[in-house]
Amino acid sequence: MKPENPLLACLALAAGLLFLSPVLYSVWMSFQTTDAYYTGTIDFTLGNYEMAIGQYNFARYLLNSVIVSGLVTVIGLAVATCAAFAFARYTFGGSNLLFGAVVATLMIPSHITLIPNYLTLAKAGLLDTYAGLVLPAISNGFAAFFLRQYIRGIPRALDEAAYMDGASPLKVLRRVIIPLSKPAILSMGLYIFISEWNNYIWPLVAIGKEDLYTLQIGLARLYRVNPGEDIINWPLVMAASTITILPVIVGFVLVERHLIRGMMMGAVK
Amino acid sequence: MLRRITPYLFVLPLLAFIAVFTYVPIVQSVNLSMREWDFLSPTKPFVGFDNYRLLLDSREFWNALRVTAVFALFSVPLRLLLALFIASQLLRETWVSRLMRGALFLPAVTSTVAIGVVFSWVFSTDYGMMNALLTGLGLSKVAWLQEPQIALWVLIFVNTWKQLGYDIIIYIAGLQAIGTELYDAAAVDGGRKGHVFRRITVPLVMPTTYFLLMVSVIEAFQVFTIVDVMTKGGPAGATDLVVNMLYRVGFTLFDIGVGSALAVLLFILLITLAVIKSRVIGRKVHYEA
Amino acid sequence: MSAITLTDIRKSYPGGAQVLHGVSMDIQHGEFIVIVGPSGCGKSTLLRLLAGLDPCEQGELVIDGKRANDMPPQDRDIGMIFQNYALYPHMTVLENIAFGLELRKVPKAERLARARAVADTLQLTPYLDRKPGALSGGQRQRVAMGRAMARECSTFLMDEPLSNLDNALRVAMRTEIKDLHRQLGATIIYVTHDQTEALSLADRVAVMKDGHLQQFDTPDVIYDRPANRFVAGFLGAPAMNFVPADCINGWAGPHNVDVGFRPEALTLHRAPVSGPSIAARVALTEMTGATFIVHCESEAGRLSAVVARGDGLPEDGEDIWLSLSPSQALCFDAITGDRLDHFNTAQRQAGAPCAVAPA
Amino acid sequence: MSAITLTDIRKSYPGGAQVLHGVSMDIQHGEFIVIVGPSGCGKSTLLRLLAGLDPCEQGELVIDGKRANDMPPQDRDIGMIFQNYALYPHMTVLENIAFGLELRKVPKAERLARARAVADTLQLTPYLDRKPGALSGGQRQRVAMGRAMARECSTFLMDEPLSNLDNALRVAMRTEIKDLHRQLGATIIYVTHDQTEALSLADRVAVMKDGHLQQFDTPDVIYDRPANRFVAGFLGAPAMNFVPADCINGWAGPHNVDVGFRPEALTLHRAPVSGPSIAARVALTEMTGATFIVHCESEAGRLSAVVARGDGLPEDGEDIWLSLSPSQALCFDAITGDRLDHFNTAQRQAGAPCAVAPA
Amino acid sequence: DVTVEFWHSFGGASGEALAQIIEKFEAENADIKIDAQEIGNYNDIVTKLQAAIPAQRAPDAVIMEVTRYGLFADRGVLKDLTPYVDADPLKDDLFNFAREVGVYQGKNYIVPFNSSTPVLYFNKDIFERAGLSEDTPLGTYEDLLAAAQKITDTLGDEGITGIAAPGQFARWGLVMGNDSDLIDSVSGEIMLDAPNTIEAYEFMASLVHEHEVASPDGVTKENNGRDAFLAGRVGMMINSTGNYGRASSALGEDVAVVPMPCNKVCAVPIGGAGIGILSTSDSEVQDAAFKFISFAASPESNALWFSATGYMPINQKTAEQPLAIEALAEKPGIDVAINQLDVARGRPRPPVVTWMRASEYDLWQAMALGQREVSDVLTEFAERTRAEAERLKR
Ligand SMILES: Nc1ncnc2c1ncn2[C@@H]1O[C@H](COP(=O)(O)OP(=O)(O)OP(=O)(O)O)[C@@H](O)[C@H]1O
Ligand SMILES: Nc1ncnc2c1ncn2[C@@H]1O[C@H](COP(=O)(O)OP(=O)(O)OP(=O)(O)O)[C@@H](O)[C@H]1O
Ligand SMILES: [Mg+2]
Ligand SMILES: [Mg+2]
């Protein structure tokens, strides 16, 4: 990597810090005691985290978020990859129409289907279950669309070589397409994971049991305490929000390279 | 025979999900939109287009539409322009630009609720960081989230802040795909920076712009979390985006008929927009390299 | 029994125009067939039909005596080397070579042993653990070949396997492929648009144009007795010259035909000569190594002649006379382009100009 | 005054190894220079330095008498045709050609007129409103050329402009470029890895290897008196044969050298002959059109000979004797690979074998 | 064993008090388990409950705010508790208001648990620094405005404002004090556009946008106003007596509680919530649930609750409990709400109230932030509410 003009580098760093300042400050705030925060003094503690995890059950919420986002990611990727493979490699009766139906979901906000989906899942008895959180989230064409664009960039000759070598379509998918789409699949996986991690409106309506709250719902509720309840404990809220942000940041740092590369390869035709 | 049905087997799972959780619900929405129901009554009387009429006659609906349009109209170009500019500055693979990309991308992967919460604090009138800055500079406080003329802009700002990183990364990808050779060619031909940017970069990054435009317009119509956390549509409906209204009508007032009618109208609107977009812009985008 | 028989194969891509217009061929076991033709004439399409990668809907394809129109590629005993190698970038050289065996459920120990043996033949042993990205063009080419060879199939399809190599490597690889063919005794169907490759490698050459098979015969016949103007012009570099018979001074052969003669058949003179000749002016002289190509302008259009080095070269712009031996001339119907005579080599050597064959 | 003078140009990419190791050249106005060399030897790098696309940090670059190391590309009067054309895909042919003028603020009417005129010369008029995506390879190539020509600069850099074309188009374009050079009188620096192109187009050829300039001279000298084994082997197809002097029966020249002779210089015999000759066994015979290449195995390694058609061809596996005329042989230092003698053509024609020049 | 799923809205200190009550109940009734879940605020509970009905995942017992259970009673979601109440000696111990609050159309649907009225809190320290005595009259709108202005004028530079923007409960209280109502508690007539209502809203809105003695922060988020008061940045606040515990722990000695202003008349709304039972539950569970309800309303439980939170006693015998006696002695002002009971009124609870209360926030913002004329807003709002009431009746 090239050495940078130090002045420029400093400026850029400053701009970056300023850009992130709200997040950074909120993390800093999460380590302050409530009293210190309200009186404007400085006094550090880990108590907010203890409270968030202990009293406010954020450990459980974290687990729920991990389970739900994890399942959505894994199942969503599997389903999307299969479909993307078919759309990228086959022309079959109605393939354009079906692909159009998949792409159109990009343009349909999930909110439009909120009420019917709620009723459907209610009828199926799936509200207040992990399945109720996971299943509707998989109905998303973005991953399939994105992966198809990517797979189309993989030379078709590679599949054909594998067919000539004696592979079945499933083998081609597993042994050739998936390994070669790894950056795209990884970045799509992170994208799905993050979207689901941040999903708010659906868990908000689909989950009533506190046991099944995701971090987002837990955090939003902690922030919007009851009228007639304690004042907003900002340091506590910020600790909870840091707990909510942290795993995603860790995940991001881990796959940053793949992500940026994958996005770059897939998103633009 | 097996050869024929193979592709169908591959797309079946996804299509099943999409059918059950997207397309069937749309049909159900249409049905519910012509009924009157509050979840509690055992019956759902058919009322024809009453719910639509109610909506179209209401001040709220048009307000929500207007607010959403303003939001989309300003936030989308703002995002894209800023992102294109910043992306073109961060193209080189130096550690500074990688760091900057990381910093800019971070909000995109950060919890929206957390961002809403943090920015509620940042823009809170009495305790917020913004006003602390302003008073520090000797200026008077601004009621960021209470002033109807300002609150929407605060949301546009926060939304842009959050989404910018994603747009930038996509733009970087698009810009890098243009490759250096065209720039080399332009340099040899005697191009100056601005001219080359306008005549080469902007047109060639069009497919990316189109993609982002599509995604961000959809997103603009889906913004909910930030609104719910920061303003709940207030003050006085100034940030009452369509989806927020949808949630309010459907899930706080439980006017399922009107809520569904709103969903159906939103759906029609978005599909129309998509068609217009692909008619107007889509055509200009497809050239081969 | 023939190895492969094609009968009236036609093919159109959905939404596209027709690509193959009834191709029939009969290929023997162990033959080395080269298919040539200009870009877009349907060579790759034909190969893909043979491989089973595209469905063969019209006509009949028989492989080893069995109708194979609908046989999936996995079930044909065919190995293919793709134009751009199509190596699996995520597998090492060894894995690439062994993959076909793995798919056919050959036990691990055996498939590794076989892959290693093949790699050894191809001198790839030092690179077994590299990924294709870290190989040079020639090495990649050999991996692609090894992948097909490891499977020991009876037929190989090769789609322009040398087109990405530079000249030196190309010559070397050509020799290697020929050796290979001899060792394995397999049937090889080889696509190229390079006429040198076609002539030097083939037992028989199939010349295609716009989805029609123009001629299918040995290199000698193709070169000496091309079926029509297209075949005559396509093979040979620089290309054959075509001149209306009436433009040739002293022409004793038939009139109202186009006369074709290869650049090597022309002799340069600084002064008018007796016998068939054409007056021309030198436009450009190109050195290409051992020979020169002299491009001239004449009444009959641009002509090129090949002159050995050392012979006195004319200046650009100089007026010259090109004499041609009638025995080396071919006559083509001015309208259909078909070659008009089928006289034998003996006659030609006797110096007779091309005579219209009796109808 | 020279058009371009390079003095001891060196170049390393950041983090990469050194690519150019001190290249010096002196190029005259109006010269047609071809740079050849194997892939990766630094040809494109050199061109980019000349264009000003990469900074020239070591050595000195003088253009038209002015030091140009730090001159930005816009300020050099240079047009460039890129290896892959680098056409602007969103502009029509006309816009592509006119864009360079637009960048230089030529008024609209004038630049369109000029672009049209150029397009006319290149026979591109029917395609003016098409985008590059809708053009064939050859047409794109001409647009790329038109774009450079419209600017009427004094120097053109062309980076393998023909490498993507098929053989027929390649031959045609070669002629066109030569014509163009003659018309414009501009300096052209042309990169290729195809030796035929190099020899046929160049006024002078620069042969490069691994960032070193091996030889810089006219095609004749390069071909007849290559500076070293690399140059000798790189130009000419099939490549020159190299044999240790001791392996040649009846060799009268110096010993402990490698003797190089081109395939055309060998004559085939069915029986031992007097004079310098090598015993060999035919491995493979390739027909390439007008000639055959006979590949043989000998004590001294693989050899190839070019034989005209019609001469009696040996069978594969037959034992033969290859005689060579000492006057066509070149001697190379067995260790350094440098050519050892500098005798003149007269001597060679007199039949003297290559003699070690006095130290 | 039966398990009663119970939704409530109490976190923090109140939540702990509730947990103690449940613990005691479970100790007494070993065969009953109370599965208590904190759902959110009253709005959240209404929302969740309504959403839960088609999903058949409603709880067995639920805390419902006193004006918003009508919809559920009307739709048959809540069980008619009249037989239980009639059979329970408890009914004679309840205060009148507490009995009345749970009755809708002649049937008893909820039994109050936490009751409250709005009261006026002020910060003695701020008053002192602003030059106001502790006895400053605060009986009328003008009094309130004058005091708030004084505070804002003198202490505004320190970032201290006079009064917190009134929350919805306080607004309702101030309207009642102006001799009007939002919906008439007896006739159910919609009074949103009554002149006195308009006048009251005009006054309240003027605090924020005309006189600027209340921060708009509290307009968009009611809690913000209260939080600012608790943090010592606001001089006065009108809020539920249920905030007493919190206020005194936040401000200690500085907090003072006085009755609601009586601008035209003295009248305050009764707020708080009661516990109802879902009609879909098994009868065995319903029995157990009522046992708990009864226990929660017992003097012992009620005293514990009162002293911990400041919510009003609902049981006449509560005052005799040692915990209550102690609280009354040691916590000045905790009795203000009790003393207001004479003028306290239950509010109407037809189904439309739920809709009306959910919609009022937005309109209040429009008025308080000076977006629209108060009279226009309220006239239109009244119209829509009437239309909605019609629709709901069908
Ligand atoms: N998938 C396809 N859909 C429609 N047309 C196609 C398709 N593939 C090839 N073609 C057309 O079929 C014709 C023959 O193509 P093919 O690839 O067989 O040519 P080719 O002889 O191999 O040429 P080349 O030498 O350039 O490889 C071409 O005109 C091409 O445009
Ligand atoms: N940007 C770069 N960074 C590092 N190394 C580079 C870069 N560009 C080229 N090189 C290296 O410099 C050497 C010379 O490259 P160059 O492109 O000049 O070769 P070339 O002679 O043009 O080859 P070709 O015939 O394949 O085009 C190569 O080994 C290449 O790997
Ligand atoms: Mg092909
Ligand atoms: Mg190059």
Side-chain angles (χ1 to χ4, degrees), chain D residues 124-141:
Chain D
L124 285 169
T125 312
Y127 313 109
L128 285 179
D129 292 329
R130 292 216 197 148
K131 299 249 169 96
L135 296 180
S136 81
Q139 291 158 346
R140 288 184 203 188
Q141 212 280 331

Side-chain angles (χ1 to χ4, degrees), chain C:
Chain C
M1 194 177 57
S2 305
I4 298 171
T5 311
L6 305 167
T7 316
D8 201 30
I9 297 283
R10 289 160 194 279
K11 170 81 192 171
S12 337
Y13 282 103
Q18 191 162 356
V19 177
L20 296 179
H21 303 262
V23 172
S24 301
M25 279 183 178
D26 195 63
I27 298 167
Q28 304 303 317
H29 280 285
E31 253 192 321
F32 198 127
I33 303 294
V34 174
I35 306 179
V36 290
S39 179
C41 70
K43 306 180 296 293
S44 300
T45 305
L46 190 60
L47 230 50
R48 294 172 57 81
L49 291 179
L50 290 175
L53 292 170
D54 283 337
C56 179
E57 280 140 6
Q58 288 172 36
E60 192 174 46
L61 170 64
V62 175
I63 299 179
D64 279 335
K66 280 183 301 241
R67 186 184 147 92
N69 286 41
D70 296 320
M71 203 185 275
Q74 303 92 288
D75 302 343
R76 304 182 184 198
D77 187 24
I78 288 183
M80 185 156 175
I81 297 169
F82 291 82
Q83 193 156 348
N84 41 8
Y85 315 147
L87 300 183
Y88 309 118
H90 56 299
M91 299 184 192
T92 62
V93 167
L94 187 65
E95 286 166 344
N96 259 290
I97 296 178
F99 187 59
L101 302 174
E102 182 188 334
L103 289 173
R104 288 177 192 275
K105 305 224 163 58
V106 176
K108 183 157 186 178
E110 188 188 334
R111 71 174 183 251
L112 288 185
R114 244 158 85 183
R116 271 179 219 284
V118 166
D120 202 48
T121 331
L122 292 167
Q123 296 165 26
L124 284 170
T125 312
Y127 313 110
L128 285 179
D129 293 329
R130 293 213 197 152
K131 300 254 171 87
L135 296 179
S136 80
Q139 291 157 349
R140 287 183 203 187
Q141 212 280 332
R142 279 179 277 160
V143 176
M145 200 161 283
R147 200 167 56 175
M149 277 169 61
R151 285 197 24 234
E152 296 175 356
C153 19
S154 62
T155 306
F156 291 97
L157 309 176
M158 305 189 182
D159 197 351
E160 312 203 13
L162 307 186
S163 64
N164 292 344
L165 306 188
D166 73 17
N167 233 355
L169 203 49
R170 213 159 161 150
V171 173
M173 285 307 304
R174 222 155 68 198
T175 331
E176 254 176 67
I177 290 178
K178 194 98 198 195
D179 284 352
L180 185 77
H181 176 231
R182 225 174 289 172
Q183 280 165 34
L184 298 181
T187 313
I188 294 184
I189 299 169
Y190 185 107
V191 163
T192 182
H193 63 242
D194 177 314
Q195 62 272 47
T196 315
E197 261 171 43
L199 295 172
S200 63
L201 288 172
D203 290 330
R204 282 197 290 165
V205 177
V207 184
M208 289 180 65
K209 183 191 171 193
D210 295 343
H212 293 277
L213 188 60
Q214 300 287 317
Q215 193 170 6
F216 182 35
D217 218 319
T218 61
D220 284 311
V221 173
I222 296 272
Y223 193 77
D224 292 332
R225 308 208 310 253
N228 55 34
R229 224 181 121 139
F230 172 77
V231 175
F234 190 75
L235 292 161
M240 185 180 270
N241 299 298
F242 296 99
V243 175
D246 300 334
C247 298
I248 306 174
N249 301 325
W251 177 247
H255 289 266
N256 295 321
V257 296
D258 282 348
V259 179
F261 36 88
R262 299 203 180 272
E264 304 91 41
L266 290 174
T267 319
L268 255 72
H269 303 272
R270 297 287 162 90
V273 286
S274 66
S277 71
I278 303 169
R281 165 168 296 164
V282 175
L284 184 71
T285 309
E286 293 185 325
M287 182 213 183
T288 66
T291 55
F292 278 92
I293 303 172
V294 179
H295 298 274
C296 324
E297 295 290 353
S298 78
E299 267 192 342
R302 219 165 228 238
L303 299 176
S304 47
V306 170
V307 181
R309 297 198 68 212
D311 301 356
L313 271 184
E315 300 280 299
D316 289 1
E318 199 179 323
D319 286 324
I320 53 166
W321 285 262
L322 296 161
S323 70
L324 57 118
S325 110
S327 66
Q328 294 186 308
L330 299 170
C331 293
F332 299 92
D333 187 302
I335 292 152
T336 63
D338 287 343
R339 191 161 56 85
L340 290 171
D341 46 347
H342 300 273
F343 64 120
N344 61 35
T345 323
Q347 264 178 300
R348 283 179 73 185
Q349 278 168 353
C354 53
V356 182

Side-chain angles (χ1 to χ4, degrees), chain D residues 13 19 38-45 83 160 193:
Chain D
Y13 282 103
V19 175
S39 179
C41 71
K43 305 182 295 291
S44 299
T45 305
Q83 192 157 350
E160 313 203 13
H193 63 243

Side-chain angles (χ1 to χ4, degrees), chain B:
Chain B
M1 181 58 203
L2 187 67
R3 254 182 134 177
R4 289 265 153 75
I5 63 168
T6 310
Y8 293 99
L9 292 180
F10 277 117
V11 297
L12 189 70
L14 179 69
L15 288 175
F17 274 106
I18 287 181
V20 172
F21 293 107
T22 301
Y23 286 105
V24 171
I26 288 174
V27 176
Q28 284 172 322
S29 277
V30 173
N31 178 18
L32 285 173
S33 73
M34 305 207 219
R35 294 174 184 278
E36 194 170 292
W37 194 35
D38 61 3
F39 271 11
L40 299 181
S41 327
T43 58
K44 306 169 198 169
F46 183 82
V47 295
F49 287 96
D50 278 6
N51 292 323
Y52 291 93
R53 216 167 292 134
L54 212 73
L55 261 183
L56 295 176
D57 285 346
S58 78
R59 177 197 288 273
E60 271 172 280
F61 173 72
W62 295 108
N63 175 59
L65 215 55
R66 189 186 54 80
V67 170
T68 310
V70 171
F71 187 90
L73 228 57
F74 286 92
S75 78
V76 171
L78 179 72
R79 269 173 67 174
L80 296 197
L81 287 177
L82 264 179
L84 180 56
F85 175 74
I86 296 174
S88 62
Q89 304 303 310
L90 295 183
L91 275 180
R92 292 189 309 151
E93 290 291 326
T94 63
W95 64 270
V96 173
S97 76
R98 299 229 357 237
L99 215 69
M100 287 293 288
R101 285 184 212 166
L104 290 164
F105 195 59
L106 216 55
V109 296
T110 297
S111 149
T112 317
V113 173
I115 285 175
V117 168
V118 169
F119 274 98
S120 294
W121 165 79
V122 168
F123 287 106
S124 122
T125 313
D126 293 329
Y127 300 107
M129 186 170 108
M130 270 320 206
N131 278 345
L133 269 177
L134 287 184
T135 44
L137 293 173
L139 302 169
S140 58
K141 288 180 176 181
V142 174
W144 298 102
L145 293 173
Q146 285 74 42
E147 204 64 66
Q149 285 79 11
I150 298 177
L152 186 62
W153 298 100
V154 173
L155 287 190
I156 290 175
F157 170 83
V158 175
N159 190 56
T160 307
W161 182 85
K162 174 163 169 53
Q163 300 292 349
L164 196 61
Y166 178 76
D167 300 355
I168 288 173
I169 295 298
I170 301 282
Y171 259 133
I172 287 177
L175 290 173
Q176 286 187 342
I178 296 178
T180 52
E181 76 222 12
L182 293 181
Y183 292 111
D184 286 347
V188 170
D189 278 350
R192 306 281 162 189
K193 254 191 169 172
H195 199 144
V196 171
F197 186 79
R198 194 163 48 78
R199 293 282 277 134
I200 309 245
T201 309
V202 172
L204 283 177
V205 84
M206 230 12 212
T208 310
T209 306
Y210 182 62
F211 173 82
L212 284 177
L213 193 65
M214 193 168 95
V215 171
S216 57
V217 168
I218 295 161
E219 252 165 29
F221 278 87
Q222 302 214 47
V223 167
F224 171 72
T225 311
I226 286 182
V227 178
D228 189 61
V229 173
M230 290 185 68
T231 65
K232 293 220 159 276
T239 60
D240 192 18
L241 296 171
V242 173
V243 174
N244 188 58
M245 176 174 173
L246 182 65
Y247 178 78
R248 190 176 65 245
V249 174
F251 277 86
T252 60
L253 301 177
F254 291 95
D255 200 332
I256 303 304
V258 174
S260 299
L262 186 55
V264 172
L265 288 180
L266 180 60
F267 175 69
I268 293 170
L269 183 75
L270 283 176
I271 293 295
T272 317
L273 268 183
V275 169
I276 293 174
K277 259 185 303 180
S278 66
R279 282 278 152 80
V280 174
I281 311 166
R283 257 189 218 153
K284 296 187 187 158
V285 175
H286 299 288
Y287 42 74
E288 287 130 56

Side-chain angles (χ1 to χ4, degrees), chain A residues 128 208-210, chain E residues 2-8 32-37 39 52 56-63 275-278 281 285 289 292:
Chain A
D128 278 336
K209 281 215 186 76
E210 203 245 85
Chain E
V2 285
T3 301
V4 178
E5 187 182 339
F6 171 47
W7 286 5
H8 66 85
I32 300 175
K33 181 147 176 10
I34 304 294
D35 172 14
Q37 297 178 15
I39 297 299
Q56 288 159 359
R57 54 171 185 168
D60 303 306
V62 61
I63 280 274
I275 305 174
I277 296 177
L278 277 288
S281 295
V285 177
F292 173 67

Side-chain angles (χ1 to χ4, degrees), chain D residues 12-20 37-48 54 83 159-160 191-193 208:
Chain D
S12 338
Y13 282 103
Q18 191 162 357
V19 175
L20 296 178
S39 179
C41 71
K43 305 182 295 291
S44 299
T45 305
L46 189 60
L47 232 51
R48 293 176 60 82
D54 284 336
Q83 192 157 350
D159 196 353
E160 313 203 13
V191 163
T192 182
H193 63 243
M208 286 180 64

